[in-house]
Amino acid sequence: MPKNRNTFSFLARWPRRAASRAVHHGWIWAQRAGAVTAEHPGRLRFGAIGEGTRLAFPQGTVFGEPWIELGAHCIIGEQVTLTAGMMPDLDLGPEPILTLGDGVVLGRGSHVIADTTVSIGSDTYCGPYVYITSTNHSYDDPHEPVGKQWPRMEPVAIGPGCWIGTGAVILPGARLGRNVVVAAGAVVRGEVADHAVVAGAPARVVRSWDPEKGWQPPLRTPAPVPIPEGVTPEQLLALADMDEARETS
């Protein structure tokens, strides 16, 4: 009797397992087929999209793409919003409004809202749910709902090589220099010099680079040991396998 019960239980679970596999395989196929690249742009017609750039599926809200230029080898995560202009189908003139340099990474769920010019420099990495906007609501009239008042717009410029942590907000008028680190959850406005670390809401500089003294205040952890020159990926994988074998032995 126990054997029969196990057999019936397996037969009852089999359709659900088969459906689960089918759904997962179908989703993987949809992710591959729905990704946007220069070779397969789908319905999106960007002003420029570089070689190796990929927008993961499903995409977030995207409009004003003729005024959006994406560099080469960018990685745009799932559900990322990219917009140029306040609404679709506007004529924004001859110049691009939103520009991403080569190698930019935008993490899942991030938003880049460019009602006026927004530029993100090459090799800038953004964590998930980063919000970058050139527009802010105004509340000058105390008798009018805030959402109905004309917003204020200021250009945003993010230099090359920056690291923007999860959930950070970059406000209108922000100008970040080269290799700036923005802590997770920070709210950034105004100008940030090259090689600075900012944190908080509103963000303030918590560490900066001095050519003579180095990082001030000094780093609390030692710098990571670089990979020796000439080491191949295959050798690194072999070392990782050896470490795993030691841990399990």
Side-chain angles (χ1 to χ4, degrees):
M1 188 65 182
K3 290 184 178 179
N4 290 338
R5 188 180 298 118
N6 291 341
T7 300
F8 292 142
S9 177
F10 170 78
L11 292 175
R13 291 195 304 267
W14 183 86
R16 182 178 179 85
R17 289 181 178 178
S20 177
R21 289 195 188 97
V23 167
H24 283 286
H25 285 300
W27 181 248
I28 292 171
W29 178 87
Q31 286 179 307
R32 292 173 179 169
V36 170
T37 63
E39 295 79 16
H40 303 285
R43 63 176 180 82
L44 301 176
R45 294 295 182 267
F46 290 104
I49 179 169
E51 178 186 3
T53 288
R54 184 182 182 91
L55 284 74
F57 177 85
Q59 290 89 39
T61 300
V62 179
F63 64 74
E65 59 269 23
W67 292 272
I68 299 175
E69 295 188 353
L70 309 177
H73 305 290
C74 295
I75 300 174
I76 314 297
E78 296 178 12
Q79 299 290 358
V80 168
T81 289
L82 299 172
T83 66
M86 295 189 69
M87 61 187 69
D89 302 323
L90 296 177
D91 185 348
L92 304 177
E95 301 298 325
I97 300 296
L98 171 55
T99 306
L100 272 60
D102 296 340
V104 170
V105 175
L106 297 177
R108 177 189 177 93
S110 292
H111 289 62
V112 185
I113 310 298
D115 291 343
T116 187
T117 56
V118 173
S119 63
I120 302 178
S122 298
D123 299 315
T124 286
Y125 291 6
C126 300
Y129 307 106
V130 166
Y131 193 89
I132 301 169
T133 181
S134 63
T135 303
N136 208 348
H137 293 295
S138 57
Y139 50 89
D140 302 67
D141 187 345
H143 307 293
E144 187 73 14
V146 173
K148 292 185 177 181
Q149 298 187 45
W150 193 256
R152 287 184 168 87
M153 293 179 282
E154 292 185 74
V156 172
I158 299 174
C162 293
W163 182 282
I164 301 178
T166 300
V169 178
I170 312 298
L171 291 174
R175 298 176 302 280
L176 278 61
R178 174 184 295 272
N179 285 19
V180 169
V181 175
V182 177
V187 179
V188 183
R189 61 184 303 173
E191 189 162 353
V192 180
D194 295 350
H195 310 295
V197 181
V198 298
R204 62 184 182 86
V205 176
V206 296
R207 181 171 279 119
S208 57
W209 172 260
D210 184 284
E212 296 181 359
K213 299 178 181 179
W215 285 106
Q216 298 297 316
L219 298 174
R220 292 189 295 249
T221 55
V225 178
I227 298 171
E229 188 175 353
V231 175
T232 65
E234 291 76 15
Q235 290 171 324
L236 290 175
L237 289 172
L239 288 172
D241 291 340
M242 289 174 62
D243 289 340
E244 185 176 350
R246 289 195 197 101
E247 292 174 1
T248 56
S249 61

